[in-house]
């Protein structure tokens, strides 16, 4: 177990290193510099600014400096913006917004998706199952920004129940959360249904039935517990999709969160913010994936974690 | 007893012998699968919608009496009417023809970007699965590493590296960042296919490694490959639209994502400007989802 954890942690660090390098290369390849203005600044000013931010150094030195900063989780300061807000302060200011919306979206997807999936599996091919099938197909097909637009039009513009956008009260959280959770909700419903069906058709369930266990015991004691295990594995990809979706959703609802700041930084070529936020995202996701992996290995006794990671063996 | 034996071993008359011959030409895997697909109503609905969208994209701009930039300021923000089926926008441009032009861009990006990512994914996965061992371990670890960051993040980053205003750049950006899933699927298939006898036979008769991969392994993994194509087309269409929607890229001719975003500003007074483009995006993605579900069933030997 200890070996397994050490191995996973080392791999996670390697992953962050590779992503940091990728991000560094990409952000330096963006044409134009951070101090380009419509009215060009005087060359001496640009020179001074470059010196202040270390941009006059050779690229390799910049890379080393950047890596050292990543290692101590210091992402420098934003090139733009008023004042000297550091990227860390920026994250501290905007992350709670994204986190709140993301966690609610995740909770909504899990709390609705699992029961929907179970109902769907227990009532195979009957009206509720058909209904959930149609619902999940629609949720997977309709892009999150279209869901957002539809919500804004119906709930905010037509019915006037909720404010269209911005941040401040709980009312402004509702629509972003629904728009973000639609896709993951559909994924988790489908996955739960498939997992539950597989367990219900398995031999030990037939044995339990043959031994005279009541249908309630079979479903909720034997089947459900085993069917829920694999669902832990979709938690990682779900977080990735929620974070990816937040880049688009935060912009639509004008939420002062991390995602929107990142999009702004990219179009404004604010290197340190781009790199800082991307790596923050990467660390966050990799930490989540690591926890999910360890959790799964911990709760599922069939995985022999002492023998190494699951992913290194053949076939998916 | 003797009578019975005589009964069970009687001479077969001439006409009964014919029942033994194979009356139809043998069917191939691909033919079988396509036949299965044609029996799936949802899959056929998806196919019909996709064909309709392609025809609309090709012939819409030719047949309709407007062009995408033809303004008529006296006739702006018109709701749908007999003259303008989907209304007009803030500059009085006909929405139907703009959506048809948008279909050209969205479908073009959808198909070419997924073909690009499919090609990369197929070869990456095939090489990784075929060589196996430590190469496979490193190559798959790399896939795992880069897929731990959301694709849209790479797309936004890359779209800033590429010069703006060209549709080919959007295709490259989406194609270069979306091949990981295909690589995983193909690798898994090649991993199990490479131990089959026909691969051994090919090797014995002196076929090169590249020949084995491209002539034997990839054609035999064609089912999952086609399924992952139909799965990645809607993904590419979605990403293109999302990229436009947040305003990270732009071209002179608007795509569906641009139209939906432009309409958002006037959602209160003229909701049709947002609803129609969004509808086209969603219906197209839905059609591809239905088709890919149907193909998945059609190609699965267990589901026959």
């Amino acid at each position: 177990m200890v070996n397994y954890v050490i191995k996973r942690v080392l791999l996670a660090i390697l992953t962050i290193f590779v992503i940091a390098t990728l991000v560094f290369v990409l952000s330096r390849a963006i044409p134009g510099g951070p101090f380009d203005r419509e009215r060009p600044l005087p060359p001496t000013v640009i020179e001074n600014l470059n010196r202040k931010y270390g941009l006059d150094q050779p690229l390799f030195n910049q890379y080393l400096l950047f890596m050292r900063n990543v290692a101590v989780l210091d992402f420098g300061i934003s090139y733009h913006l008023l004042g000297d807000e550091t990227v860390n302060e920026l994250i501290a200011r905007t992350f709670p917004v994204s986190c709140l919306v993301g966690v609610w979206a995740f909770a909504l997807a899990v709390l609705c998706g699992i029961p929907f999936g179970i109902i769907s599996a227990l009532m195979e091919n009957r009206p509720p199952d058909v209904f959930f099938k149609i619902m999940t197909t629609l949720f997977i097909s309709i892009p999150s920004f279209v869901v957002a637009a539809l919500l804004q039009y119906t709930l905010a513009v037509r019915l006037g129940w909720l404010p269209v956008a911005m941040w401040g009260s709980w009312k402004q959280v509702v629509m972003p959360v629904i728009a973000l959770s639609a896709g993951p909700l559909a994924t988790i419903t489908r996955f739960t249904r498939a997992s539950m069906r597989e367990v219900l058709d398995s031999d030990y369930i037939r044995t339990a039935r043959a031994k005279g266990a009541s249908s309630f015991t079979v479903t909720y004691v034997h089947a459900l517990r085993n069917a829920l295990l694999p669902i832990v594995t979709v938690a990682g990809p779900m977080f990735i999709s929620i974070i990816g979706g937040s880049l688009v959703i935060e912009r639509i609802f004008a939420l002062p969160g991390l995602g929107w700041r990142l999009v702004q930084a990219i179009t404004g070529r604010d290197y340190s913010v781009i790199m800082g936020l991307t790596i923050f995202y990467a660390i966050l996701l990799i930490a989540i994936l690591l926890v999910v992996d360890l959790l799964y290995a911990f709760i599922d006794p069939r995985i022999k974690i002492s023998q190494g990671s699951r992913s290194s063996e053949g076939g998916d | 007893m003797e009578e019975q034996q005589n009964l069970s071993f009687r001479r077969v008359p001439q006409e009964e012998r014919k029942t033994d011959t194979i009356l139809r030409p043998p069917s191939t895997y691909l033919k079988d699968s396509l036949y299965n697909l044609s029996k799936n109503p949802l899959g056929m609905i998806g196919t019909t919608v996709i064909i309709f969208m392609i025809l609309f994209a090709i012939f819409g701009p030719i047949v309709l009496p407007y062009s995408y930039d033809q303004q008529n300021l006296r006739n702006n923000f018109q709701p749908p009417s007999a003259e303008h089926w989907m209304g007009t926008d803030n500059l009085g441009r006909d929405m139907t023809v703009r959506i048809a032009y948008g279909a050209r861009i969205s479908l073009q990006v959808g198909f070419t970007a997924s073909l690009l990512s499919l090609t990369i994914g197929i070869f990456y996965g095939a090489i990784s699965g075929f060589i196996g061992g430590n190469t496979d371990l490193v190559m798959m670890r790399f896939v795992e590493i880069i897929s731990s960051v959301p694709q849209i993040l790479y797309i936004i980053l890359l779209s800033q590296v590429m010069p703006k205003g060209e549709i080919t750049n959007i295709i490259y950006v989406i194609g270069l960042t979306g091949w990981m899933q295909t690589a995983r699927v193909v690798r898994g298939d090649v991993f199990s296919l490479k131990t089959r006898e026909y691969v051994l036979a090919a090797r014995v008769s002196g076929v090169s490694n590249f020949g084995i991969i491209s002539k034997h392994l990839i054609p035999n993994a064609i089912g999952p490959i086609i399924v992952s194509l139909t799965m990645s087309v809607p993904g590419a269409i979605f990403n293109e639209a999302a990229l436009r929607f947040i305003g990270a890229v732009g071209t002179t001719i608007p795509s569906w994502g641009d139209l939906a975003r432009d309409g958002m500003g006037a959602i209160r007074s003229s909701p049709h400007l947002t609803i129609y483009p969004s509808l086209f995006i969603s219906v197209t993605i839905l059609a591809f989802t239905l088709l890919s579900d149907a193909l998945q069933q059609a190609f699965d030997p267990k589901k026959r």
Side-chain angles (χ1 to χ4, degrees):
Chain A
M1 182 76 193
V2 176
N3 274 341
Y4 178 72
V5 174
I6 292 174
K7 202 173 161 188
R8 297 295 309 178
V9 170
L10 285 179
L11 275 172
I13 292 170
L14 177 73
T15 308
I16 292 167
F17 173 77
V18 172
I19 285 173
T21 310
L22 268 179
V23 169
F24 181 83
V25 171
L26 279 182
S27 69
R28 289 307 141 107
I30 295 175
F35 309 121
D36 288 355
R37 297 287 182 277
E38 274 185 53
R39 266 181 51 208
L41 297 168
T44 41
V45 173
I46 292 194
E47 223 168 83
N48 281 335
L49 281 169
N50 277 344
R51 189 168 321 129
K52 181 181 173 195
Y53 295 112
L55 293 175
D56 57 342
Q57 302 269 328
L59 212 54
F60 187 67
N61 287 6
Q62 289 185 32
Y63 175 69
L64 287 184
L65 183 71
F66 170 67
M67 279 304 175
R68 192 194 68 85
N69 287 344
V70 169
V72 296
L73 295 180
D74 172 12
F75 302 121
I77 56 178
S78 167
Y79 296 151
H80 284 221
L81 298 184
L82 330 149
D84 274 339
E85 191 177 36
T86 66
V87 177
N88 287 9
E89 280 164 6
L90 179 75
I91 291 173
R93 184 163 60 86
T94 55
F95 181 61
V97 175
S98 302
C99 191
L100 182 75
V101 175
V103 167
W104 273 107
F106 185 80
L108 185 68
V110 171
L111 291 181
C112 294
I114 291 179
F116 289 176
I118 293 171
I119 295 170
S120 210
L122 291 178
M123 306 206 156
E124 198 181 18
N125 294 333
R126 275 186 278 164
D129 182 34
V130 175
F131 170 78
F132 284 127
K133 252 187 199 156
I134 296 173
M135 188 195 81
T136 52
T137 313
L138 284 180
F139 277 11
I140 286 175
S141 309
I142 301 178
S144 55
F145 59 86
V146 171
V147 176
L150 286 178
L151 285 172
Q152 282 186 331
Y153 180 63
T154 51
L155 296 184
V157 176
R158 271 286 128 117
L159 300 169
W161 290 350
L162 297 164
V164 176
M166 302 303 283
W167 186 247
S169 80
W170 64 269
K171 282 184 175 175
Q172 282 149 331
V173 183
V174 177
M175 289 195 293
V177 166
I178 297 175
L180 259 184
S181 67
L185 171 66
T187 315
I188 210 160
T189 307
R190 284 188 160 195
F191 196 84
T192 310
R193 181 186 186 281
S195 170
M196 191 75 181
R197 276 282 14 130
E198 201 182 315
V199 171
L200 284 176
D201 292 339
S202 63
D203 288 341
Y204 64 85
I205 292 297
R206 198 179 309 128
T207 311
R209 273 193 223 282
K211 284 170 124 182
S214 71
S215 130
F216 180 87
T217 321
V218 169
T219 318
Y220 295 100
V221 178
H222 295 276
L224 190 57
R225 285 168 70 181
N226 285 299
L228 287 183
L229 270 183
I231 294 171
V232 177
T233 55
V234 275
M238 266 180 61
F239 268 110
I240 295 184
S241 94
I242 284 179
I243 287 180
S246 73
L247 294 181
V248 179
I249 292 298
E250 283 182 11
R251 174 166 168 134
I252 295 174
F253 289 104
L255 300 184
L258 214 52
W260 193 20
R261 281 294 306 140
L262 179 61
V263 174
Q264 283 177 327
I266 288 172
T267 41
R269 294 192 204 93
D270 200 344
Y271 293 153
S272 52
V273 176
I274 298 174
M275 294 190 286
L277 295 192
T278 312
I279 289 160
F280 177 75
Y281 272 133
I283 293 175
L284 184 72
L285 276 173
I286 288 157
I288 292 171
L289 294 180
L290 180 69
V291 169
V292 168
D293 253 22
L294 294 181
L295 194 68
Y296 191 60
F298 190 70
I299 58 175
D300 193 342
R302 282 169 299 184
I303 296 173
K304 291 179 195 153
I305 46 179
S306 55
Q307 287 179 2
S309 71
R310 285 175 289 135
S311 46
S312 58
E313 276 132 42
D316 273 338
Chain B
M1 210 51 187
E2 251 180 23
E3 221 178 36
Q4 223 176 15
Q5 259 184 3
N6 282 342
L7 261 180
S8 47
F9 291 104
R10 69 196 165 81
R11 249 185 112 81
V12 178
Q14 195 66 36
E15 60 268 21
E16 261 181 61
R17 286 189 195 170
K18 280 182 188 150
T19 56
D20 231 21
T21 53
I22 295 165
L23 292 173
R24 281 202 291 177
S27 177
T28 61
Y29 176 55
L30 206 61
K31 253 192 211 164
D32 253 16
S33 307
L34 289 179
Y35 176 77
N36 279 347
L37 177 67
S38 71
K39 293 285 153 206
N40 186 328
L42 286 178
M44 289 323 282
I45 292 175
T47 316
T48 317
V49 171
I50 293 167
I51 292 172
F52 168 78
M53 288 292 175
I54 294 172
L55 293 178
F56 179 58
I58 296 173
F59 296 111
I62 302 172
V63 174
L64 291 163
Y66 309 98
S67 79
Y68 72 93
D69 54 355
Q70 182 185 334
Q71 303 183 4
N72 181 358
L73 290 174
R74 244 175 273 165
N75 210 9
N76 61 355
F77 291 122
Q78 289 297 311
S81 63
E83 200 183 340
H84 299 284
W85 296 343
M86 299 181 199
T88 59
D89 70 357
N90 57 340
L91 296 174
R93 294 172 294 197
D94 181 55
M95 278 302 279
T96 321
V97 79
R98 282 172 76 75
I99 288 179
Y101 272 102
R104 284 186 174 185
I105 295 197
S106 296
L107 292 178
Q108 219 174 317
V109 170
F111 279 112
T112 42
S114 10
L115 276 180
L116 177 63
S117 59
L118 202 69
T119 316
I120 301 174
I122 288 172
F123 279 95
Y124 192 96
I127 292 170
S128 177
F130 185 73
I131 299 177
N134 280 334
T135 317
D136 176 50
L137 196 71
V138 171
M139 283 175 86
M140 279 300 121
R141 178 61 60 190
F142 182 68
V143 167
E144 217 173 284
I145 286 174
I146 51 179
S147 25
S148 63
V149 172
Q151 193 195 351
I152 189 92
L153 205 59
Y154 290 120
I155 292 179
I156 295 173
L157 269 175
L158 260 180
S159 68
Q160 304 305 312
V161 178
M162 302 268 190
K164 288 195 180 188
E166 293 265 354
I167 182 174
T168 43
N169 294 329
I170 302 171
I171 293 169
Y172 283 134
V173 165
I174 296 175
L176 288 176
T177 52
W179 51 271
M180 286 86 84
Q181 188 53 34
T182 314
R184 277 202 198 106
V185 170
V186 172
R187 177 221 169 242
D189 260 38
V190 166
F191 209 82
S192 65
L193 286 177
K194 72 173 176 184
T195 55
R196 301 282 174 87
E197 282 87 354
Y198 61 80
V199 177
L200 186 68
R203 193 186 295 281
V204 167
S205 38
V207 181
S208 68
N209 278 346
F210 181 78
I212 291 177
I213 291 179
S214 59
K215 294 260 171 61
H216 294 283
L217 295 179
I218 293 177
N220 273 296
I222 196 75
I225 288 174
I226 291 180
V227 171
S228 69
L229 175 69
T230 51
M231 268 159 79
S232 69
V233 172
I237 292 176
F238 165 80
N239 279 321
E240 195 264 351
L243 210 53
R244 305 289 189 126
F245 202 82
I246 60 175
V249 291
T251 49
T252 34
I253 300 178
S255 86
W256 286 341
D258 285 320
L259 294 173
R261 186 201 55 220
D262 291 346
M264 286 293 282
I267 195 166
R268 221 171 266 271
S269 51
S270 312
H272 65 271
L273 293 181
T274 313
I275 289 173
Y276 284 117
S278 308
L279 200 67
F280 271 82
I281 300 172
S282 309
V283 167
T284 309
I285 295 180
L286 178 66
F288 275 103
T289 314
L290 291 180
L291 177 62
S292 104
D293 280 356
L295 277 174
Q296 221 157 1
Q297 281 176 18
F299 279 118
D300 191 349
K302 279 180 272 175
K303 296 251 169 80
R304 299 253 167 102

